Amino acid sequence: MSTDMYGVRVLAVDPDELRARFQVFVVYYDTGSRTHTPLPNEEPNTFLHFLWEAASGYLDDGDERKGPLGHVVSTDQLLDYEWADTNARRFISRVERVERRNYPLSDKQWEDMHDFYHERGGSWQDEDLLIQAEYEIQVTDRRWLEPLSVGDGWGSAAFPLNGDSWTAEDSPHIPDLARPAVTLRPFETTTGSVTYDHINGMDFSDDGTYLALCSDQGRVWVYDTADWSEVVHTRADGWLVPLMMWVPGGHILVVKDYSSGNEPEEEKQWAYDVDRRAETEAPFQAGNLRSRDGTYGISPNRAGEGGFDLHGDEREPSRRLSHAGTWDPIQCTAFSGDSSRLFLGAQQNLYVVDPMAGEVIDKVDHASKRLFTLASNEDGSYLAIGSFSRKLSYLEFGQERPHELCVWRMADKKIILGRQLRSYVDALSWSPDNRCLAAALEPLSKQSFHRGKTEVAIFPMGPVDD
């Protein structure tokens, strides 16, 4: 018999409007450590469990679920957490927490709490003491609500998951992470040893005509985005940690050493004219990242925060940027396509910078257990982020710790789309025309990392329901 995590009661139901209101109680506590099951967030899959449990009812003599949702969603599907993460939004299109009570519990309140609260006829002992919240849900079909009646109550062994919650309004602006349009395999066309090599840099040209890749060993590939054909495959040798950038306004690539900021940056680089298919000369590209229009760049600072300073065309940074006020090393960076925002991903925190003001204007605390790489769309309204998996608590991978590729909606700072990967996310780049997202993915391996196996998945915009 499973231990209930929540108690659920129906407060209102309107099948014609596809809406219902639930009261959800936390009924599992550890009074010794003063911890408890968290209240559900606003992602749909926990509520899919609630609806399924209520609408399906008990098993009948034929071992079949009686409710309409039980006929559509099997027990095996519901307990397949990857399936539930991806498909819950097909049944529940919106969840909004509208009220919360008794959270957090005070020391005095904890003294009155028990570890378990069991459902008895749709009620729970000391309901007024329990951590609880009310939720408005919107479903996709009135059938999912028809078995509900106001006052219904039941215990649930569901627990919070991390499912997709994007909407029809989001769809044109976000990538379909389930269906790569193209998969590029750059190392298949290379020669020589690829031991220790992998993709460490990737970027679309300013006009989106080309996608360029650079490897840790200085290999350079360029693909024509019209048909994804490989048009350049060359080598930029002699760089300790190669850093690749496009020269603003054209199709010239440069490769140079990554600057740590410990010493002034040496003005030395390799330049290649993609249109002419030849090495060339180009003005030195200062810093570690630039905005697409070339207005802003960033260089490591010495403020003791592990961050970056902003600069324009001048060599030395012109704006000291204090992103944290304390040591919080930045792991990944991205400008929005229109240069209005700079995103700084630390190990766990995400900072949003206004480059014009040179100030942090927003922050997401504990955005992830670890942020590795990120990319922004044109106006900074959506981010693609490669991070440690949010799903390791309920998906088993043994000693392997793969990444998850997520899409953030920055209007409300919510992860609305995520895919658990059997690979590591080495680099991300969002195309200027919002046509696709490119992701450099290094497969899991029992052997050492970086063996020339990285693939580049091109995800088109506009996920659709299966």
Side-chain angles (χ1 to χ4, degrees):
M1 179 176 178
S2 299
T3 301
D4 287 345
M5 299 291 164
Y6 300 109
V8 185
R9 177 173 295 135
V10 179
L11 298 180
V13 57
D14 188 340
D16 292 334
E17 295 296 325
L18 305 179
R19 291 199 305 263
R21 189 180 183 102
F22 285 170
Q23 185 175 15
V24 179
F25 303 95
V26 174
V27 298
Y28 183 89
Y29 300 82
D30 185 333
T31 56
S33 63
R34 296 198 168 184
T35 58
H36 57 83
T37 303
L39 280 166
N41 52 32
E42 294 178 325
E43 291 174 317
N45 38 15
T46 304
F47 289 84
L48 175 62
H49 279 70
F50 293 164
L51 275 181
W52 185 86
E53 292 163 333
S56 297
Y58 295 103
L59 292 172
D60 62 19
D61 293 338
D63 207 32
E64 294 290 335
R65 290 282 175 176
K66 295 180 290 185
L69 194 57
H71 292 154
V72 177
V73 179
S74 69
T75 304
D76 288 342
Q77 286 176 312
L78 195 71
L79 297 180
D80 180 342
Y81 301 127
E82 287 188 280
W83 184 92
D85 277 346
T86 303
N87 292 282
R89 62 163 304 282
R90 295 172 54 197
F91 304 94
I92 301 176
S93 58
R94 183 182 62 85
V95 177
E96 181 182 1
R97 187 163 60 200
V98 294
E99 189 173 347
R100 185 169 61 182
R101 305 185 191 98
N102 300 332
Y103 180 84
L105 292 174
S106 67
D107 290 341
K108 186 177 185 309
Q109 287 174 308
W110 271 111
E111 293 174 2
D112 297 325
M113 302 303 292
H114 302 288
D115 285 340
F116 305 103
Y117 292 85
H118 299 287
E119 183 263 338
R120 297 290 184 269
S123 299
W124 292 265
Q125 178 186 352
D126 300 328
E127 284 186 10
D128 59 321
L129 302 180
L130 302 180
I131 293 173
Q132 56 195 270
E134 294 184 14
Y135 298 83
E136 295 277 359
I137 70 168
Q138 189 96 21
V139 299
T140 58
D141 193 309
R142 63 172 291 141
R143 290 178 296 163
W144 316 146
L145 299 180
E146 285 176 349
L148 301 182
S149 298
V150 173
D152 287 351
W154 62 93
S156 174
F159 56 89
L161 301 175
N162 295 288
D164 296 348
S165 58
W166 54 271
T167 67
E169 290 74 21
D170 296 314
S171 179
H173 311 290
I174 62 176
D176 184 352
L177 300 182
R179 301 172 179 83
V182 178
T183 298
L184 307 175
R185 298 176 175 83
F187 286 100
E188 285 188 352
T189 62
T190 198
T191 58
S193 174
V194 294
T195 303
Y196 308 121
D197 210 2
H198 71 291
I199 301 301
N200 71 344
M202 179 172 63
D203 200 9
F204 285 94
S205 60
D206 297 343
D207 60 4
T209 300
Y210 297 115
L211 175 67
L213 316 175
C214 183
S215 81
D216 185 65
Q217 303 298 314
R219 291 182 169 93
V220 175
W221 299 263
V222 180
Y223 293 86
D224 188 326
T225 61
D227 58 6
W228 300 108
S229 60
E230 181 184 280
V231 295
V232 172
H233 186 174
T234 187
R235 193 81 177 253
D237 290 318
W239 311 102
L240 185 62
V241 182
L243 186 151
M244 181 190 70
M245 300 171 68
W246 288 97
V247 176
H251 296 149
I252 294 178
L253 275 173
V254 299
V255 176
K256 59 177 187 172
D257 275 328
Y258 181 91
S259 173
S260 65
N262 294 327
E263 297 178 357
E265 187 173 19
E266 183 180 2
E267 293 195 11
K268 180 182 178 183
Q269 66 183 19
W270 171 90
Y272 191 90
D273 188 325
V274 176
D275 292 331
R276 294 178 50 243
R277 310 289 199 266
E279 293 186 17
T280 188
E281 298 292 329
F284 181 72
Q285 302 300 297
N288 287 10
L289 179 73
R290 69 162 179 84
S291 59
R292 185 175 298 152
D293 60 8
T295 301
Y296 305 107
I298 59 174
S299 297
N301 67 23
R302 303 178 188 178
E305 299 181 21
F308 294 86
D309 287 335
L310 285 156
H311 60 81
D313 294 334
E314 68 281 357
R315 174 174 175 174
E316 294 299 322
S318 58
R319 298 178 185 174
R320 174 58 54 86
L321 176 63
S322 179
H323 71 277
T326 185
W327 181 250
D328 195 13
I330 298 302
Q331 310 296 313
C332 50
T333 60
F335 281 99
S336 61
D338 62 6
S339 307
S340 66
R341 293 291 180 265
L342 167 63
F343 299 95
L344 304 175
Q347 291 191 21
Q348 297 179 335
N349 303 317
L350 177 67
Y351 299 88
V352 184
V353 176
D354 179 348
M356 181 174 292
E359 297 176 351
V360 174
I361 59 172
D362 209 349
K363 178 186 177 184
V364 182
D365 291 307
H366 308 297
S368 170
K369 290 184 178 180
R370 184 68 183 269
L371 296 169
F372 290 103
T373 185
L374 63 87
S376 171
N377 75 332
E378 182 65 21
D379 62 2
S381 56
Y382 296 93
L383 296 181
I385 295 181
S387 61
F388 269 161
S389 172
R390 300 171 297 156
K391 308 172 189 291
L392 288 176
S393 60
Y394 55 89
L395 293 181
E396 294 299 327
F397 290 94
Q399 297 301 311
E400 298 173 337
R401 194 177 179 99
H403 291 183
E404 185 179 3
L405 180 54
C406 298
V407 176
W408 284 69
R409 183 174 58 209
M410 293 306 295
D412 52 10
K413 304 182 186 68
K414 290 182 179 179
I415 300 174
I416 58 172
L417 174 60
R419 287 293 177 270
Q420 178 69 53
L421 303 172
R422 271 68 177 180
S423 58
Y424 298 93
V425 185
D426 288 337
L428 293 170
S429 187
W430 207 305
S431 68
D433 55 7
N434 200 48
R435 183 163 62 99
C436 59
L437 173 76
L441 307 176
E442 183 174 0
L444 292 174
S445 174
K446 298 294 184 182
Q447 301 172 320
S448 59
F449 294 139
H450 307 336
R451 299 177 63 87
K453 301 294 185 181
T454 310
E455 298 180 349
V456 177
I458 307 299
F459 297 109
M461 293 296 126
V464 296
D465 290 318
D466 292 325

